[in-house]
Amino acid sequence: MRRSVPILLLAAVLVMSGCAGVLGPSRAPSDQRAVDAVDRSQAALANVTSYRASFDGRAEATEDGKRITVDVTGAAVTNVSAREMNATGRLEDVDQPRPHGFDRTQSTYVENYTAATDCTRIGWTRQNLSDTHPWTTYTPAGQQLALLNRTDVYWQGTETVDGAETAVVVAYPTAEELRSVPGIEGREMADFDDANVENATVTVWLDTRTDLPIKARREITAGNGGATATADATYRFTDYDEPTTVTEPEFDGARWETGCPGS
């Protein structure tokens, strides 16, 4: 299953990073009700002082009738007022040998418009983020809304989530729309040049009282030759405006300015 491992990791990385794109057919124009809901949510997120995010999901790859699976989990603590975030993502149950340079855990610390990502216990790489975008764009909830703001969105009615009434908005982003969303670059874990993201659906649940995101879901299909992978992840956003302290990690090892060695 040589092709399956990178395609599986591609799908897992996409759901962990909160990014997905698809080269799909033409779509119907946005529903104005969905557009208005996304606009209100972006304005509400810009005014929060802090929040927490968590996510979990699963990616599966198949090739020649064989299947491999990886679970993804993660969490982020965000202090919007201080412009600080500490986030960790993890891949579990990879039942194939690790590709060169692959590590199951990735941690990222953001302070103002500078991001630091760990390089598999040999140091950290530094990335300067563009300050032409709102700082919340680089946080988990901000990534969801930034993508919805760049694609056609559709109203799916209301639904109760954790006791709150939510507006449900769905989107089917293209690869070009994906590239337009600024993000934090992580470590390269495999060669994805030959992999194609074939399909993606993004659904976001917005609290009708506060307009803030409560939940989001990413569903992705990718392919590479005879190998295919599917992945889905669910994000949950909690503790808005609660007292929050973001702990700065100990930056052991070297500090790399041009990406992790070997990436």
Side-chain angles (χ1 to χ4, degrees):
M1 300 186 71
R2 182 180 59 83
R3 290 189 300 268
S4 296
V5 174
I7 198 66
L8 174 71
L9 296 179
L10 169 61
V13 168
L14 288 175
V15 293
M16 287 178 71
S17 65
C19 298
V22 56
L23 294 173
S26 59
R27 303 163 305 195
S30 291
D31 297 335
Q32 189 59 47
R33 194 171 183 181
V35 172
D36 293 342
V38 172
D39 288 345
R40 290 194 302 270
S41 190
Q42 286 187 305
L45 186 64
N47 290 321
V48 303
T49 59
S50 61
Y51 73 93
R52 293 178 181 269
S54 62
F55 69 88
D56 62 86
R58 170 163 290 193
E60 294 185 349
T62 57
E63 182 183 13
D64 299 329
K66 299 179 181 178
R67 175 182 297 177
I68 55 177
T69 303
V70 58
D71 293 329
V72 294
T73 57
V77 180
T78 303
N79 187 322
V80 179
S81 298
R83 290 183 176 176
E84 286 186 289
M85 181 180 71
N86 203 333
T88 301
R90 184 171 177 82
L91 306 180
E92 302 275 6
D93 301 327
V94 178
D95 50 7
Q96 292 286 317
R98 296 186 187 186
H100 175 71
F102 170 63
D103 186 71
R104 285 185 169 90
T105 302
Q106 177 173 293
S107 297
T108 299
Y109 173 73
V110 180
E111 183 178 19
N112 201 10
Y113 282 92
T114 300
T117 302
D118 69 302
C119 296
T120 318
R121 298 179 297 278
I122 62 172
W124 293 72
T125 183
R126 181 177 181 273
Q127 177 189 355
N128 291 322
L129 307 175
S130 173
D131 61 6
T132 61
H133 304 285
W135 185 82
T136 52
T137 300
Y138 300 102
T139 70
Q143 284 280 293
Q144 317 298 326
L145 298 179
L147 183 56
L148 292 185
N149 194 46
R150 288 164 169 78
T151 185
D152 291 315
V153 291
Y154 307 99
W155 179 262
Q156 297 289 299
T158 61
E159 184 177 325
T160 300
V161 177
D162 297 332
E165 183 185 65
T166 66
V168 186
V169 176
V170 66
Y172 310 96
T174 67
E176 181 179 357
E177 290 159 351
L178 163 64
R179 290 192 295 269
S180 73
V181 179
I184 299 171
E185 297 175 2
R187 297 191 307 268
E188 296 296 329
M189 295 192 292
D191 183 1
F192 303 141
D193 289 344
D194 296 329
N196 296 311
V197 178
E198 299 170 350
N199 199 0
T201 302
V202 179
T203 308
V204 180
W205 288 258
L206 308 173
D207 191 318
T208 57
R209 182 179 63 85
T210 65
D211 295 318
L212 292 168
I214 290 181
K215 186 172 76 169
R217 186 178 184 189
R218 302 264 175 169
E219 300 170 88
I220 297 167
T221 302
N224 180 14
T228 60
T230 59
D232 68 82
T234 298
Y235 291 74
R236 293 187 181 275
F237 310 105
T238 60
D239 298 332
Y240 284 107
D241 296 324
E242 295 293 329
T244 301
T245 299
V246 177
T247 303
E248 181 176 353
E250 296 183 5
F251 292 109
D252 298 330
R255 299 292 293 272
W256 311 94
E257 298 292 331
T258 56
C260 295
S263 65

